[in-house]
Amino acid sequence: MKHVQALNRKARMTEQKIVDGDDVVAMQEQQPLPLSCTTVFDPGWEIDALGGMGLLCQPMERDLYACYNECWWPAQLPDQMVNYPDWSEKCASAVKDWRRLDLIFP
Amino acid sequence: MRYRLHECRRFRVAEREVLFLVPSHSIFILDELAAEIVRLVEEREALSISDILRHLDGHRSSVESMDTIRELVSLGILQPVAPPINLLPHPVPPAALPLRTLVLNVTNTCNLSCGYCYEYGEDRLSHSPPRAMSWEVARRAVDFLFEHSGQSDRVSLTFFGGEPLLNFKLIRQTVDYAEQRATELGKHIDFSLTTNATLLTRQVIDFLAEHRIGVTVSIDGPRELNDRLRVFPSGRGSYDVIAPKIADLLRRHTTRPIGARVTLTSAVREVERIFDYLIDLGFHDVGFAPVTTAVGRDYALSEEALAEVLQQFEILTERFVEAALRGSYLGFSNLSDLLWELHHGFSKSYPCGAGLGLLGVSPTGDLALCHRFIESPQHRLGTVETGVDGRRRTAFLQAAHLSRKTDCHTCWVRGLCSGGCHHEAYVRYGDTFHPNLHYCDWIRAWTEIGLRAYVRIMEGNPAFFDRLEGRKSP
């Protein structure tokens, strides 16, 4: 690497993986015990890796965020781009504060 | 495709842009161009590659810029906005995890009455009658350790109490037996002991040295500080009794480095002064831990006191870095432990090995999560006779996993702190699985101090960490 210098051992391992042509995405996670089963706020993943719900440790409501971000979930959410930019202002962490995502009465 | 900045902590050390990736704990130094790209993407939340190139200064060569973006993307520093979801199944480690360390509570009694002690003070979990471990239990515990050590060829046995030297006869017998078993099984066993130093005699010291038993002495500094809380039942301070014994220990026991462990309280918080005093006595390492208390104890550290402690830690860190750049080691173990974790990039889902590779054994042979939970009925995990209660262990590991600590989910040091000590949480909140929220700001500030120190040492004298490696792995 020319522009990014790996400093500690984990960084050097990541770099080596790239040289070896391995996938580094898995290395960016907490290994070997992951932080959680669903690592991003995204719809469509309401089942866990085993096809059940037992390992879903997060409220599904956190998926709400994906709705206005990528706009591919057919639920109606406030338009944050133009009319309701503050809609999620009180929801700093979706995991904790999802109840504060309120309805909009235009 | 648009890219965003991966979760990270960025800071500058001596004109260098440093990036600590969370939760992988890789540490990178960015050159000027890489730093500019990272800033751009961060400011605008998400950018496509063509947007990045457009926003960059005109004088940048687009070939260089593309190379840099490619590096940032391949290292995962820049990530596609909708990243592939990494479905790693079970958050609970396998039941067959090898046992590495067993802590034997060889007695639950002590000849001192330190006011803050988590075993005898106001916050104690157990009200068991005084007991000493029998030879049968100790022998069974040693067998249990080897039986459950799996493929691992190194195991550790720690003697703890109460004051473990009250049961020195048993320690001697156990060490002999464990060494014999280790030889038979072709494994290496390592011993350690924590003591208040009141019962060290020449005979005891020579035994400890001969068997390379690592010793940690609990002491709170010079006489006037140590004797505030570290007292005999009569109220008399312990300093005058332990001082000559510690001198003897440091002189005669040279097969392993001897450490001192200081408990910080409202009465004892002059970190730098205590550190210098104990290093001058001849201790190799000095570690500091804030006292574990429920809310409202008069010896608890107030927020102001914690801020003062952080300041003193920062001063010692500066001295540590200066020493490291000269190639010498300052025995400030809080920092050397942190640097060790940062150097490797360890990222944890549990704060410690309790219930994983470490268990505590009570004088009667009950297994506990760790030595701090010994004789606490809620934290019992079986016995050395019948083995680990798998259901209870799994339930604990599920509940204690970082993914359950929602308060921690957006914190950038979550992979180092993992919510903090289970025992501290239990004493403080009455809930073993509660994150230790009273330390959050402190831990974040301390980690940043450690990161800055790490970068400076790596830049100035990277060979220092090879030496540290030698010290950390016996």
Side-chain angles (χ1 to χ4, degrees):
Chain A
M1 300 272 161
K2 239 176 84 191
H3 301 275
V4 183
Q5 178 200 339
L7 202 62
N8 68 347
R9 203 167 284 197
K10 185 67 81 59
R12 288 202 299 273
M13 276 164 65
T14 313
E15 209 177 49
Q16 191 55 43
K17 289 265 176 203
I18 293 165
V19 174
D20 298 344
D22 289 348
D23 174 23
V24 298
V25 174
M27 280 204 56
Q28 306 297 359
E29 303 301 330
Q30 210 137 16
Q31 290 281 21
L33 311 166
L35 177 67
S36 122
C37 47
T38 50
T39 50
V40 289
F41 296 89
D42 242 355
W45 294 96
E46 287 84 1
I47 52 165
D48 61 32
L50 303 176
M53 292 175 64
L55 299 178
L56 293 181
C57 46
Q58 311 299 344
M60 283 183 207
E61 284 75 359
R62 74 179 206 171
D63 292 341
L64 281 169
Y65 269 145
C67 306
Y68 68 82
N69 185 12
E70 295 294 300
C71 286
W72 51 276
W73 184 249
Q76 297 198 346
L77 283 174
D79 147 37
Q80 279 215 287
M81 300 292 281
V82 183
N83 294 309
Y84 302 100
D86 303 333
W87 175 63
S88 63
E89 204 178 35
K90 288 182 184 151
C91 180
S93 156
V95 177
K96 276 184 0 195
D97 308 326
W98 55 268
R99 288 182 185 80
R100 296 192 192 151
L101 291 174
D102 209 351
L103 298 173
I104 293 289
F105 300 96
Chain B
M1 191 185 309
R2 292 189 309 152
Y3 291 87
R4 62 178 170 80
L5 184 60
H6 194 284
E7 186 183 358
C8 67
R9 182 78 180 171
R10 287 197 299 127
F11 55 97
R12 287 182 80 80
V13 180
E15 302 300 301
R16 306 272 263 155
E17 186 81 18
V18 183
L19 188 141
F20 176 69
L21 220 52
V22 180
S24 83
H25 295 186
S26 314
I27 304 174
F28 296 102
I29 293 183
L30 310 179
D31 76 357
E32 214 188 306
L33 180 54
E36 192 179 340
I37 293 171
V38 163
R39 259 197 310 278
L40 260 175
V41 177
E42 189 180 39
E43 277 165 17
R44 290 169 176 76
E45 285 181 18
L47 284 178
S48 66
I49 290 180
S50 54
D51 285 340
I52 298 174
L53 293 174
R54 198 157 40 81
H55 279 105
L56 282 173
D57 287 354
H59 62 267
R60 302 281 189 197
S61 124
S62 56
V63 178
E64 281 286 283
S65 305
M66 269 312 291
D67 277 353
T68 314
I69 294 170
R70 212 169 285 132
E71 283 182 23
L72 292 168
V73 171
S74 67
L75 290 166
I77 295 171
L78 295 186
Q79 279 209 317
V81 165
I85 291 170
N86 188 18
L87 284 176
L88 291 165
H90 53 86
V92 174
L97 210 70
L99 189 58
R100 294 290 293 271
T101 304
L102 209 53
V103 185
L104 301 189
N105 230 13
V106 292
T107 170
N108 65 3
T109 54
C110 187
N111 54 343
L112 292 188
S113 291
C114 312
Y116 54 60
C117 180
Y118 54 72
E119 278 195 69
Y120 305 100
E122 296 155 300
D123 296 323
R124 67 177 176 274
L125 307 186
S126 150
H127 295 82
S128 304
R131 282 184 187 127
M133 186 178 279
S134 68
W135 164 234
E136 285 69 35
V137 169
R139 190 177 55 185
R140 184 64 208 117
V142 170
D143 291 340
F144 176 85
L145 171 61
F146 283 116
E147 280 161 21
H148 293 83
S149 59
Q151 299 293 311
S152 139
D153 57 355
R154 297 190 84 95
V155 292
S156 302
L157 198 60
T158 299
F159 300 103
F160 208 82
E163 168 49 43
L165 293 179
L166 284 169
N167 202 354
F168 178 62
K169 202 176 133 218
L170 180 84
I171 293 176
R172 206 162 43 186
Q173 211 172 356
T174 309
V175 167
D176 287 342
Y177 177 67
E179 280 178 343
Q180 178 208 323
R181 289 297 294 145
T183 314
E184 286 165 10
L185 295 164
K187 297 204 180 210
H188 178 87
I189 186 156
D190 185 70
F191 301 101
S192 54
L193 170 135
T194 298
T195 177
N196 62 26
T198 53
L199 300 170
L200 289 169
T201 61
R202 194 144 286 194
Q203 179 210 11
V204 170
I205 294 169
D206 290 347
F207 175 82
L208 298 174
E210 189 192 330
H211 295 271
R212 300 191 75 250
I213 300 179
V215 179
T216 302
V217 176
S218 306
I219 176 174
D220 289 350
R223 180 190 290 110
E224 72 274 20
L225 295 178
N226 182 76
D227 287 356
R228 286 191 189 163
L229 289 155
R230 299 194 63 80
V231 295
F232 286 96
S234 63
R236 186 167 61 96
S238 58
Y239 186 87
D240 288 338
V241 173
I242 62 174
K245 291 170 187 278
I246 288 174
D248 220 23
L249 174 75
L250 292 167
R251 201 166 40 240
R252 296 177 73 85
H253 186 345
T254 52
T255 53
R256 286 280 290 272
I258 310 281
R261 168 86 172 198
V262 179
T263 302
L264 298 172
T265 52
S266 56
V268 176
R269 56 199 217 205
E270 294 161 70
V271 174
E272 194 186 13
R273 179 178 155 218
I274 297 169
F275 177 84
D276 284 331
Y277 183 83
L278 295 174
I279 290 291
D280 283 348
L281 280 188
F283 282 106
H284 176 267
D285 261 304
V286 181
F288 297 87
V291 66
T292 297
T293 72
V295 181
R297 303 275 181 243
D298 59 356
Y299 47 79
L301 286 167
S302 64
E303 266 185 46
E304 296 74 51
L306 274 170
E308 202 179 298
V309 167
L310 187 67
Q311 242 172 26
Q312 305 251 321
F313 270 33
E314 204 168 358
I315 294 170
L316 283 183
T317 300
E318 193 54 40
R319 287 173 51 188
F320 187 104
V321 172
E322 279 162 22
L325 292 176
R326 285 196 311 270
S328 57
Y329 176 75
L330 188 75
F332 178 31
S333 60
N334 298 69
L335 183 63
S336 62
D337 290 348
L338 175 59
L339 292 176
W340 178 245
E341 296 206 271
L342 293 174
H343 182 53
H344 282 264
F346 293 144
S347 184
K348 305 172 293 188
S349 298
Y350 296 98
C352 64
L356 289 160
L358 177 146
L359 292 170
V361 184
S362 81
T364 52
D366 284 351
L367 294 169
L369 280 179
C370 74
H371 51 287
R372 286 186 165 213
F373 283 114
I374 277 167
E375 296 186 319
S376 162
Q378 296 99 304
H379 302 92
R380 196 167 164 269
L381 280 185
T383 72
V384 287
E385 204 54 58
T386 58
V388 177
D389 181 335
R391 265 207 356 244
R392 290 192 74 140
R393 178 179 171 277
T394 305
F396 162 74
L397 291 176
Q398 265 166 353
H401 196 275
L402 181 58
S403 64
R404 294 290 180 93
K405 298 179 179 171
T406 51
D407 291 292
C408 303
H409 281 189
T410 54
C411 174
W412 67 272
V413 301
R414 63 180 181 273
L416 283 162
C417 156
S418 309
C421 172
H422 307 309
H423 173 261
E424 174 97 23
Y426 188 72
V427 170
R428 180 88 182 197
Y429 303 99
D431 174 2
T432 317
F433 310 113
H434 200 293
N436 284 290
L437 300 177
H438 53 297
Y439 285 137
C440 293
D441 291 339
W442 201 96
I443 299 273
R444 278 189 288 265
W446 171 234
T447 307
E448 183 145 344
I449 291 171
L451 270 168
R452 287 174 183 280
Y454 178 71
V455 174
R456 284 171 63 198
I457 299 172
M458 271 311 264
E459 293 266 89
N461 181 15
F464 175 80
F465 286 97
D466 300 333
R467 284 185 54 203
L468 196 64
E469 181 125 30
R471 286 173 195 279
K472 293 282 174 187
S473 33

